[in-house]
Amino acid sequence: SRRKFLKQYALGTAGALSAVSLEEQALLAYENGKHMPAKAAPAPKEFPQGKIGKFSMSRLMCGGNLISGFAHSRDLIYVSDLLKHYFTEEKIIETLAICEENGVNTAVLRTDDDVVRILKKYWKEVGGKIQWLAQTYPKENDVRTNVKQAIDNGAIGAFVQGAIGDSFVEHKRVDLLGEFVSFIRQNGLIAGIGSHKLEVTKASEEAGIDPDFYVKTLNNVDYESANPEETIEYMKKVEKPWIAFKVLGAGVTDPRRGFRY
């Protein structure tokens, strides 16, 4: 078989691995039970910074959807499964280290057991320092349990996931966003409200909820986003930091156009 051949080739030829592709090297490593070792993150390069509360954050952050296998890829239905196989524990750790090496000091990651486990390994065993801004999943009948997992496991801040923020406002439960923000603040973290719809930000401001930051979609292809110019003009009046996401509109937007925003 191809795998058997690769093993014999590697054992019988001096310097053979130099002639084998990266994919084949990875395959050999796994076949031999030797996963590629994680490397400690080097000292970060300088990168433009913003500030939320007391935390200084790179103005470009590492997103977590792809790491967790959630690919917004329109009709390419195989991509989510592909990413789940691609982003092994080692690959996630490598990705976080590359971010830090290039000055990206904050990652926006979902709050679940798998993410917590990998982050703890990255911080403790690899020596990584990346800050975790937790995307959380409060429920109408329980806004605290998932948030508590982020609080207890090293997150610097937490925000309600966008679709949930949309749903709370749509069902006229803006009060739940206020309860969510208060609970996070009581536990010493910065608190945010995420949404796809600008109405969520407007409702939060009108209700005087006063989060530390907002997380809002921004792209020019109408992919789970309001008109970007409308969002930009409204946010100029809001005296809080905000994080734009889905800036490339599921890969439809040319990166040069998406990042211009």
Side-chain angles (χ1 to χ4, degrees), residues 35-51:
H35 296 272
M36 291 187 171
K39 297 180 180 179
K45 298 176 181 177
E46 290 186 6
F47 201 94
Q49 301 283 305
K51 197 164 187 180

Side-chain angles (χ1 to χ4, degrees), residues 211-226:
D212 296 298
F213 63 99
Y214 288 106
V215 182
K216 172 71 180 69
T217 47
L218 188 76
N219 60 66
N220 62 350
V221 292
D222 196 31
Y223 182 72
E224 293 199 276
S225 179

Side-chain angles (χ1 to χ4, degrees), residues 41-50 56-62 95-107 122 129-131:
K45 298 176 181 177
E46 290 186 6
F47 201 94
Q49 301 283 305
S56 182
M57 302 180 186
S58 50
R59 288 175 60 89
L60 180 66
M61 300 180 184
C62 176
T95 300
L96 296 176
I98 290 171
C99 286
E100 287 204 76
E101 181 181 0
N102 287 279
V104 175
N105 72 351
T106 304
Y122 179 66
K129 306 293 184 185
I130 202 159
Q131 300 176 124

